[in-house]
Amino acid sequence: MHRPEIDFGGQPWAKRVVDGSVKDLPSTIRDRGSSVRNNSDGTARVYERRNFAGRWVCVTRSGGSIHDLRGYNRNDRTRSLCINRNDCG
C-alpha cells in the first residue's frame, strides 16, 4: 500500500497522508515540508517543483525517513511527491 506520510512544520496536526504520487501538493501544505516519513512499499521522492520537476530527495521504503529536510536544502521547498517501485538514486 502506498501511504507516504509527510510531516509539515513538525506539527502533529499538519500531517498529510497520500495514496500514490501527487503532482502538486495542496496549497495549504505545499512548500511547508520539514520532514518526511515513508510508510509505503516504494521509495518516495520529494520534489521542489510541481509535476516532479527540479531537485529532489529520495526517502527509502517501509519506514524510511528524513527528520530534517534542511540538510538537503528542501526545508519548506516541497511541491510534489512521487512514489516509485525502484530504489533511491
Side-chain angles (χ1 to χ4, degrees), residues 3 7-8 10-11 22-25 27 29 31-32 39-40 42-43 52-54 56 60 66 81 88-89:
R3 298 195 66 205
D7 178 5
F8 292 91
Q11 301 298 321
V22 180
K23 289 182 178 184
D24 197 13
L25 292 168
S27 62
I29 58 174
D31 294 330
R32 296 184 185 176
N39 292 325
S40 77
T43 59
F52 321 120
W56 51 268
T60 57
I66 297 173
L81 171 72
C88 289

Side-chain angles (χ1 to χ4, degrees), residues 69-86:
L69 288 169
R70 288 180 291 189
Y72 297 87
N73 199 25
R74 296 277 65 80
N75 190 53
D76 296 337
R77 294 180 184 189
T78 52
R79 191 65 189 253
S80 57
L81 171 72
C82 185
I83 304 302
N84 303 293
R85 290 278 178 210
N86 57 351

Side-chain angles (χ1 to χ4, degrees), residues 9-71:
Q11 301 298 321
W13 52 265
K15 289 188 188 224
R16 166 80 175 167
V17 177
V18 295
D19 293 317
S21 299
V22 180
K23 289 182 178 184
D24 197 13
L25 292 168
S27 62
T28 55
I29 58 174
R30 81 174 58 113
D31 294 330
R32 296 184 185 176
S34 62
S35 62
V36 180
R37 182 174 54 219
N38 182 2
N39 292 325
S40 77
D41 58 357
T43 59
R45 285 187 182 176
V46 179
Y47 290 84
E48 70 178 341
R49 296 190 184 134
R50 61 189 300 253
N51 294 322
F52 321 120
R55 292 181 294 174
W56 51 268
V57 62
C58 190
V59 185
T60 57
R61 63 188 85 223
S62 302
S65 64
I66 297 173
H67 298 287
D68 190 349
L69 288 169
R70 288 180 291 189

